[in-house]
Amino acid sequence: MYEQCVRTFWHSDRYKDDLRYLKVWLEYAENCADAQVIYSFLDANEIGKTHSVFYISYALVMESKNKMKAANEIFNLGISRNALPIEKLKDAYRKFIARSMSRPKASEEDSTEKRLPIRSFGTVLSRGENRMQTLDSSDLSRKDSKAKGDRVLAPININIYKDSNSADIGSHHHPDVSKPDVNSWHSLGPRAERNKENNAIPTKWRSYKIPQRPGSRTRGAGASSACIEVFVDEECEETHRKNVESAKSSALQLRQEEERALKRETDLLREDPLRNFPSNSLPR
């Protein structure tokens, strides 16, 4: 909406100094990824140059990018052009000067400390101390590796655990424990013992009764009073339902496609706010 508005009247001399048109441009700049592109375009096409709000907003954008010299030049340009209201512009310039004077400046000591190596717990070492610490650590590591190489490993005696119960069973004979018969599988016994079939005599099952469904015998009497179902053409009903669903889905797809296209165009304008403007109007 902002882009369509500013693109419609950007070449009209009638609206170049109109404060309402300038405010639309400023709102558009706030929604862009890089507002400096908008202000450069306004400055190149002399849009809003008589209003102090243009220079104040432009200088604040440059100050947010830490371009203090450019922001100072923009304030001086607006004051030299006598942008209205001039008192508002001068007051904003005085506040800018106060902010720039109170900004912390990096001293030489801070810059030298950043170049020095830092321990893991935060203390700063000088270059000589850091070199000595590196040499000491390397000497200690060499001595430690040499001591490990000279060390002779002593043989380790490991006692094997023996179960006393299993030893007693293997060495002595207990009279109360029956010794298993080793030759028990050599003889399989007679045929009657091998064929262990179920030889029970079949009898009548009297303990279980099949449950009877209630009313199964009297179904013929009440069959004439049953309700008659109304016939419904399933094919016609299915066709009607598909047509309704298809109309809803097509309308939903169209709306979703329009939303995606609008979102895609919005993202493109946020990255390149002047993409729909003629190339000869863009600042070089």
Side-chain angles (χ1 to χ4, degrees):
M1 182 179 64
Y2 288 134
E3 193 270 340
Q4 291 178 2
C5 178
V6 298
R7 184 159 46 89
T8 303
F9 303 106
W10 75 270
H11 55 278
S12 176
D13 295 335
R14 177 182 177 183
Y15 295 102
K16 280 191 174 181
D17 291 331
D18 195 325
L19 183 60
R20 299 170 298 174
Y21 183 57
L22 177 62
K23 287 183 177 180
V24 177
W25 271 107
L26 300 182
E27 289 286 341
Y28 184 38
E30 290 182 359
N31 292 277
C32 297
D34 188 9
Q36 185 179 354
V37 178
I38 298 294
Y39 290 103
S40 299
F41 177 83
L42 296 178
D43 189 22
N45 291 275
E46 297 182 349
I47 297 175
K49 67 177 184 178
T50 60
H51 299 285
S52 61
V53 65
F54 166 69
Y55 302 97
I56 295 172
S57 302
Y58 194 2
L60 289 177
V61 169
M62 304 306 290
E63 184 183 359
S64 65
K65 293 185 174 185
N66 204 18
K67 298 180 179 179
M68 307 301 293
K69 184 178 179 180
N72 186 65
E73 292 176 355
I74 291 168
F75 273 117
N76 290 327
L77 179 63
I79 294 173
S80 65
R81 289 178 178 176
N82 199 20
L84 299 177
I86 190 64
E87 292 299 328
K88 182 179 180 181
L89 181 59
K90 290 181 178 179
D91 183 54
Y93 182 53
R94 284 192 293 268
K95 292 179 180 179
F96 166 74
I97 294 295
R99 288 194 303 271
S100 61
M101 295 296 291
S102 62
R103 289 173 67 89
K105 296 181 180 179
S107 61
E108 281 186 28
E109 297 179 358
D110 296 338
S111 60
T112 53
E113 282 188 359
K114 289 180 181 179
R115 293 195 295 268
L116 293 177
I118 300 176
R119 294 183 185 177
S120 60
F121 46 85
T123 57
V124 180
L125 296 175
S126 64
R127 296 187 183 277
E129 292 178 356
N130 185 44
R131 188 182 304 169
M132 292 299 295
Q133 186 183 13
T134 307
L135 292 175
D136 293 341
S137 60
S138 61
D139 291 339
L140 287 174
S141 61
R142 283 197 296 269
K143 290 178 182 179
D144 190 17
S145 60
K146 186 177 180 182
K148 287 182 179 179
D150 297 339
R151 189 182 302 165
V152 179
L153 295 176
I156 301 174
N157 296 326
I158 301 175
N159 296 326
I160 300 174
Y161 174 76
K162 295 181 179 180
D163 192 357
S164 58
N165 295 332
S166 61
D168 294 340
I169 293 173
S171 59
H172 302 285
H173 174 72
H174 295 277
D176 55 344
V177 179
S178 61
K179 195 172 183 179
D181 188 5
V182 182
N183 299 324
S184 60
W185 288 99
H186 289 178
S187 178
L188 299 179
R191 183 180 181 84
E193 292 183 3
R194 293 198 304 269
N195 297 336
K196 295 182 179 179
E197 301 270 342
N198 187 6
N199 297 325
I201 301 173
T203 57
K204 186 182 292 186
W205 289 0
R206 299 178 180 177
S207 59
Y208 182 78
K209 293 182 179 180
I210 300 175
Q212 301 293 328
R213 260 186 271 177
S216 58
R217 297 181 180 180
T218 59
R219 182 175 297 176
S224 59
S225 62
C227 298
I228 300 174
E229 296 181 359
V230 180
F231 174 75
V232 178
D233 191 350
E234 296 180 356
E235 184 178 356
C236 181
E237 185 180 9
E238 184 69 19
T239 304
H240 177 68
R241 185 180 62 81
K242 286 183 178 180
N243 291 335
V244 173
E245 291 180 355
S246 176
K248 289 182 179 179
S249 63
S250 60
L252 180 61
Q253 289 178 0
L254 182 61
R255 186 167 65 250
Q256 290 177 351
E257 186 64 28
E258 291 178 354
E259 291 176 357
R260 283 194 293 267
L262 182 61
K263 185 179 183 302
R264 185 164 54 250
E265 180 67 18
T266 303
D267 293 338
L268 291 174
L269 287 174
R270 186 175 286 110
E271 296 298 328
D272 186 10
L274 304 176
R275 61 188 303 269
N276 296 326
F277 283 74
S279 58
N280 57 359
S281 64
L282 302 180
R284 296 178 181 177

